[in-house]
Amino acid sequence: ARGVQHTAVRRAHRKHEPDFHDKYGNLVLLGGAAVFTTVWGYVFTQLGMEWGLSPVGRITPKEWRE
Amino acid sequence: MLASRAFSLVGKRAISTSVCLRAHGHAGVVKAEDFSLPAYVDRRDVPLPEVAFVRDLSAQQKALKEKEKASWTALSVDEKVELYRIKFNESYAEMNKGTNEWKTVLGGVLFFLGVTGLILIWQKHFMYGAIPHTFSDEWVSAQTKRMLDMRMNPVEGISAQWDFEKNEWKK
């Protein structure tokens, strides 16, 4: 009897219309990620900002005495 | 029981007129607003809400309710489901179902963080002047060697990161 009822609920399951998130969620997520990576990729690499990174591991010391 | 107490007080004329009216019923009394009545709620921790979901039954539903008073084995499966839907709005499965809201939220957050990056671009383009020459690679290299030669911050700072024997940064 429980098996029948279980099937019945599934059969009579009211259709849930997709909400905004069902329809556009993937689009918003990917679009937002695309905007983010584009803009910040540009900011970090092309813009020419001085980020003040540590010289450790990056800079080769050069003779300074004249 | 409370009503009978009130009625007995009416007989004794021990109460004011407004209470008289309330005890009699309808004349001159404000209709109870919906929000003051027991309400239906879809909540996991309230398995049996105070009222049924459907308040005003159609004729068909009323007939079904009458049929419910007889033996339940006479009800078809669809009728049972209809009775369920009269009493409840969402089933537990429907109530607990997750949504895709997180996609919209995360996408929106990332988008507006991107807008913040645009602000930085605007600042660099229109606001900041030229970077001082002391940030050029040439200057920073010479500056770094001078700092190491002076043994600046030898305990935990920059000189501690440099291997003076091998002449390279420590791994």
Side-chain angles (χ1 to χ4, degrees):
Chain A
R2 203 175 55 185
V4 173
Q5 234 162 20
H6 201 68
T7 329
V9 169
R10 242 186 284 136
R11 213 193 318 136
H13 191 72
R14 289 189 303 200
K15 184 167 188 330
H16 286 97
E17 298 97 53
D19 60 8
F20 178 87
H21 311 299
D22 295 321
K23 281 186 279 190
Y24 304 111
N26 287 323
L27 185 65
V28 172
L29 181 62
L30 293 173
V35 166
F36 180 84
T37 45
T38 314
V39 169
W40 283 97
Y42 178 78
V43 167
F44 280 130
T45 59
Q46 305 288 341
L47 195 55
M49 291 197 84
E50 177 52 57
W51 294 102
L53 299 175
S54 168
V56 174
R58 190 174 62 97
I59 297 289
T60 308
K62 210 185 62 161
E63 189 49 61
W64 54 274
R65 290 186 191 84
E66 274 139 37
Chain B
M1 200 185 79
L2 209 57
S4 62
R5 278 232 201 101
F7 276 122
S8 67
L9 281 171
V10 170
K12 287 180 198 159
R13 293 186 211 187
I15 43 175
S16 67
T17 333
S18 60
V19 178
C20 260
L21 283 170
R22 207 179 305 132
H24 277 276
H26 322 289
V29 175
V30 177
K31 177 180 168 298
E33 294 291 335
D34 272 347
F35 61 77
S36 66
L37 297 169
Y40 176 85
V41 61
D42 272 323
R43 280 181 61 107
R44 277 165 29 186
D45 49 2
V46 181
L48 290 173
E50 294 165 328
V51 290
F53 176 57
V54 179
R55 191 173 53 180
D56 309 308
L57 302 170
S58 71
Q60 202 177 13
Q61 286 171 326
K62 281 184 185 152
L64 185 58
K65 277 298 206 183
E66 284 301 315
K67 193 175 176 191
E68 194 190 16
K69 294 177 184 174
S71 169
W72 289 343
T73 52
L75 295 169
S76 76
V77 168
D78 285 332
E79 286 173 331
K80 286 176 189 166
V81 173
E82 178 58 26
L83 284 167
Y84 179 89
R85 289 295 178 187
I86 289 172
K87 209 172 187 75
F88 301 104
N89 179 23
E90 285 187 318
S91 68
Y92 264 78
E94 290 161 4
M95 227 191 286
N96 292 339
K97 192 177 61 165
T99 67
N100 283 318
E101 186 184 353
W102 68 271
K103 292 180 188 172
T104 309
V105 170
L106 202 57
V109 166
L110 289 173
F111 175 78
F112 284 108
L113 288 178
V115 169
T116 307
L118 288 178
I119 293 175
L120 283 191
I121 293 171
W122 185 93
Q123 286 179 327
K124 175 67 181 166
H125 196 272
F126 289 108
M127 200 180 81
Y128 293 139
I131 299 170
H133 67 100
T134 50
F135 283 100
S136 66
D137 281 337
E138 193 189 308
W139 189 281
V140 170
S141 302
Q143 170 184 294
T144 309
K145 181 155 198 336
R146 186 164 173 271
M147 285 161 70
L148 293 171
D149 290 344
M150 285 195 287
R151 300 296 191 274
M152 263 178 70
N153 296 333
V155 179
E156 287 187 12
I158 192 166
S159 301
Q161 312 273 28
W162 178 259
D163 191 335
F164 287 96
E165 261 94 67
K166 293 187 199 159
N167 251 353
E168 59 185 19
W169 293 110
K170 286 182 183 169
K171 295 290 175 284

